[in-house]
Amino acid sequence: AIYESIIGVNEVISGYSGGFTSNPTYDIVNTQTTGHAETIEVVYNPKLITFSQLVDVYFGTQNIEQINGQGPDNGTQYRSIIFYQNENQKNIISKKINEITQSLKVNVAAESYPFLKFWKAEKYHQDFVGSENYWMHSYGWSKDFVERVQSPYNGGVLLTNKSKHKILFKEY
């Protein structure tokens, strides 16, 4: 929902990436035996929003220190991970992680790997944030987390929710 509300983002698709199992499903990924993380593919227009700005939103919408999870969702399938498609994207991600580490004095849990393959999730998993299933899923925010989300680091984007998803950005 956060990415879908950003000018320049054309489409957000839920899926899985980062693992070694072909044709993963939600049930199989949740066994933590596939190597995959729940992922979203963000298709965007680089004339309207930059990769760097999208990475700012990514880091501004999650607990950047939580390892193998986001909020109450725990496990390797919920780990924080960004996939890059070229050396420039890799450098942007590394720079952002270094900036956050230095400015906030925290260890950033996000992993960064070259993109290999994205598997689209099942239909019921698409647009999950807008569904009634999402609203039944509670998220606890610490005061520290809220202060970080509202910090100038997030690029001035007003964030009303945090994303449990990992990300792949794709230009169109």
Side-chain angles (χ1 to χ4, degrees), residues 28-58:
I28 293 170
V29 169
N30 276 336
T31 65
Q32 298 185 48
T33 60
T34 67
H36 288 293
E38 283 194 27
T39 309
I40 57 173
E41 178 180 43
V42 176
V43 181
Y44 71 100
N45 183 339
K47 293 177 184 174
L48 299 176
I49 187 161
T50 66
F51 179 81
S52 181
Q53 289 170 313
L54 289 169
V55 173
D56 284 340
V57 172
Y58 174 77

Side-chain angles (χ1 to χ4, degrees), residues 18 22-23 70 85 89 105 112 124 128-129 139 151 159 169:
S22 296
N23 302 306
Q70 281 299 301
Q85 296 181 321
Q89 289 181 350
K105 307 290 187 235
S112 178
Y124 73 88
F128 181 73
V129 172
Y139 283 89
S151 77
L159 304 171
F169 299 110

Side-chain angles (χ1 to χ4, degrees), residues 85-121:
Q85 296 181 321
N86 56 51
E87 199 66 25
N88 184 52
Q89 289 181 350
K90 178 182 178 182
N91 292 337
I92 289 169
I93 295 164
S94 294
K95 182 180 175 188
K96 298 284 183 186
I97 290 172
N98 287 335
E99 288 173 1
I100 294 168
T101 301
Q102 295 300 312
S103 67
L104 298 178
K105 307 290 187 235
V106 298
N107 292 321
V108 176
E111 301 171 14
S112 178
Y113 296 108
F115 171 72
L116 299 175
K117 174 80 175 155
F118 176 79
W119 302 92
K120 187 174 177 179

Side-chain angles (χ1 to χ4, degrees), residues 140-152:
W141 289 358
S142 67
K143 182 176 186 274
D144 180 53
F145 173 77
V146 172
E147 287 171 357
R148 277 187 276 145
V149 168
Q150 293 173 344
S151 77

